[in-house]
Amino acid sequence: MFFMDRRDAGRQLAARLAHLKGAEVVVLGLPRGGVPVAAEVAEALGAPLDVCLVRKLGVPFQPELGMGAIGEGGVRVINDDVVRTARITPDELAEVEAREREVLESRAQRYRGGREPIGLEGRTALMIDDGVATGSTARAACRIARARGAARIVLAIPVAPHDWTARLGEEADELLCLHTPRNFFAVGQFYTIDFSQVDDDEVVACLEAAAARPVSTRRTESRHTVPEDREVDVQAGAVLLRGQLTVPEGAGGIVVFAHGSGSSRHSPRNRFVAAGLNRAGLGTLLFDLLTEEEESDRANVFDTGLLARRLTDATGWLPGQPETEGLAVAYFGASTGAAAALWAAAEPGARIAAVVSRGGRPDLAGPRLPAVTAPTLLIVGGHDQMVLDLNREAQARLRCESRLAVVPGATHLFEEPGALEKVTDLARDWFTDHMAPDSHGAA
């Protein structure tokens, strides 16, 4: 596969990203070469366009070889293997970094012309470049977006080496590349007509054109104004658990998240779903079910009874918060957290409005399942066969209203394009259909 130029690459990339159209997405081009590519994607998706400012730290005697990258917010990524192989001294690294930091700050002013960066809180950050070689710049860009509050990171590029996903690690939630050849030497070899250097004027022109786009083709504001997350301490028995409470004005209820397999309140997948629920006017509480000391004992991670008690305690804590008093309470459980959610919902007098399980293990709730009265939605990936079978068996034991929703083509973590968006839509509709203020108040 070859591309005529960066605009052509952007159009081809946009065709593979159609599942993001209409989602809460901000397209971020990596200057300078990634911006024309990103401009085509942003226009096709009807999404806002901004830059994610990153500077490669080139080896002094071979600038094209990246030994790391820096970005806004003090983010710094160093490729220790390159530094060691090239025998770069700390002073040489510091000199290159200082020089590139000056360029970074200058370009922030030049590109945006005084405009504030587009907010990423609770949104999907779609990172675009014209290609990936070492991956250091892309890693830094993903970390920058995450630090700015993005709920989900999608990295999409036209071309990269065949092992490019290993180079990125887990920095992004979704990775997309059109062409991953084994005979990769440089990004430019796959652009047949024009791969000339992009200058600052072209970057500014792309950003100004996107900013001037009619409102009908840009992101429409959600109908609910979502406040900042409030850091809270949830009292659970004798311990305090760190959490994030978000309650939109006029919220129709609050969803308490039960993370699975040792995940925390920072889980990017649960944060993505929570942001979608917030935009729909539902409050959310994401909290750590275990303290740091407790997490060190892996047995606690799979202690469904303990996790369920923590969930029950958090539910009892909510009415004491001014913004959640009188709101219906529902549970969203992921992986093993789904078992804890169903276990807690089965407690006498729990009065939970609804339960949603994402890729969950409801079977781990065992004999508690028939006692659940809350309407329950089980969401499973179509390619997660073992978990799908376990969910079918668990659903057969439920006596409450229940539904098993299968997301076609999705695996256990719902990493496929559009899969997590589908989970969010299903959860949102289930909760809004089954929650009403004051009708299911927590005991």
Side-chain angles (χ1 to χ4, degrees), residues 386-415:
M386 184 188 76
V387 173
L388 181 56
D389 291 341
L390 292 172
N391 273 256
R392 285 175 174 143
E393 294 172 7
Q395 187 187 23
R397 304 186 66 182
L398 291 170
R399 299 291 178 264
C400 58
E401 176 189 351
S402 66
R403 176 189 169 198
L404 176 61
V406 179
V407 179
T411 50
H412 186 62
L413 295 179
F414 297 89
E415 296 174 304

Side-chain angles (χ1 to χ4, degrees), residues 331-335 338 342 355-362 376-380 391:
Y331 291 155
F332 182 96
S335 189
L342 288 164
V355 176
V356 172
S357 161
R358 170 183 67 82
R361 290 291 308 276
T376 298
L377 172 65
L378 307 173
I379 307 174
V380 187
N391 273 256

Side-chain angles (χ1 to χ4, degrees), residues 58-295:
V59 171
F61 56 84
Q62 191 179 350
E64 287 303 310
L65 176 59
M67 57 180 174
I70 58 172
E72 292 179 289
V75 176
R76 179 177 184 265
V77 180
I78 301 299
N79 188 323
D80 292 327
D81 289 339
V82 173
V83 170
R84 183 170 52 253
T85 302
R87 298 181 179 179
I88 305 301
T89 68
D91 287 344
E92 290 173 327
L93 179 58
E95 182 179 348
V96 172
E97 185 173 348
R99 183 171 62 248
E100 296 301 340
R101 182 71 62 184
E102 288 183 6
V103 176
L104 191 76
E105 294 172 356
S106 173
R107 286 187 175 174
Q109 179 61 34
R110 173 77 174 93
Y111 293 157
R112 295 197 179 102
R115 294 189 300 271
E116 289 294 319
I118 296 175
L120 301 182
E121 295 82 3
R123 298 180 177 179
T124 294
L126 175 54
M127 321 293 293
I128 304 287
D129 205 350
D130 55 10
V132 159
T134 65
S136 58
T137 301
R139 285 200 304 275
C142 291
R143 291 182 185 182
I144 292 165
R146 189 82 71 191
R148 290 176 56 195
R152 183 169 171 80
I153 307 291
V154 178
L155 176 62
I157 52 174
V159 63
H162 72 280
D163 62 345
W164 80 291
T165 56
R167 304 183 186 202
L168 268 298
E170 298 180 355
E171 299 295 350
D173 302 300
E174 181 180 333
L175 298 169
L176 173 66
C177 184
L178 301 181
H179 188 36
T180 55
R182 289 189 174 273
N183 61 336
F184 182 100
F185 301 106
V187 172
Q189 76 184 96
F190 300 97
Y191 287 81
T192 58
I193 296 179
D194 181 19
F195 193 67
S196 57
Q197 186 173 356
V198 174
D199 60 24
D200 288 344
D201 289 341
E202 184 174 356
V203 172
V204 172
C206 288
L207 294 174
E208 290 182 345
R213 213 180 290 149
V215 174
S216 60
T217 63
R218 288 160 58 187
R219 175 183 181 268
T220 55
E221 294 299 322
S222 58
R223 60 188 178 90
H224 288 275
T225 300
V226 181
E228 292 289 331
D229 297 335
R230 179 163 74 89
E231 292 289 327
V232 295
D233 289 320
V234 179
Q235 186 72 49
V239 302
L240 288 177
L241 302 171
R242 297 296 297 158
Q244 294 173 342
L245 180 64
T246 306
V247 185
E249 185 177 355
I254 183 160
V255 179
V256 182
F257 280 68
H259 313 293
S261 301
S263 183
S264 74
R265 68 188 187 278
H266 299 299
S267 162
R269 293 175 181 82
N270 283 346
R271 287 181 62 194
F272 182 91
V273 175
L277 299 182
N278 295 152
R279 292 191 296 271
L282 294 171
T284 54
L285 172 64
L286 291 87
F287 75 107
D288 299 334
L289 275 71
L290 299 170
T291 65
E292 290 185 5
E293 183 179 356
E294 290 170 335
E295 285 177 352

Side-chain angles (χ1 to χ4, degrees), residues 10-28:
R11 287 188 289 270
Q12 293 190 46
L13 202 55
R16 291 282 300 276
L17 293 165
H19 65 280
L20 292 176
K21 190 168 187 177
E24 298 292 323
V25 61
V26 176
V27 179
L28 297 172

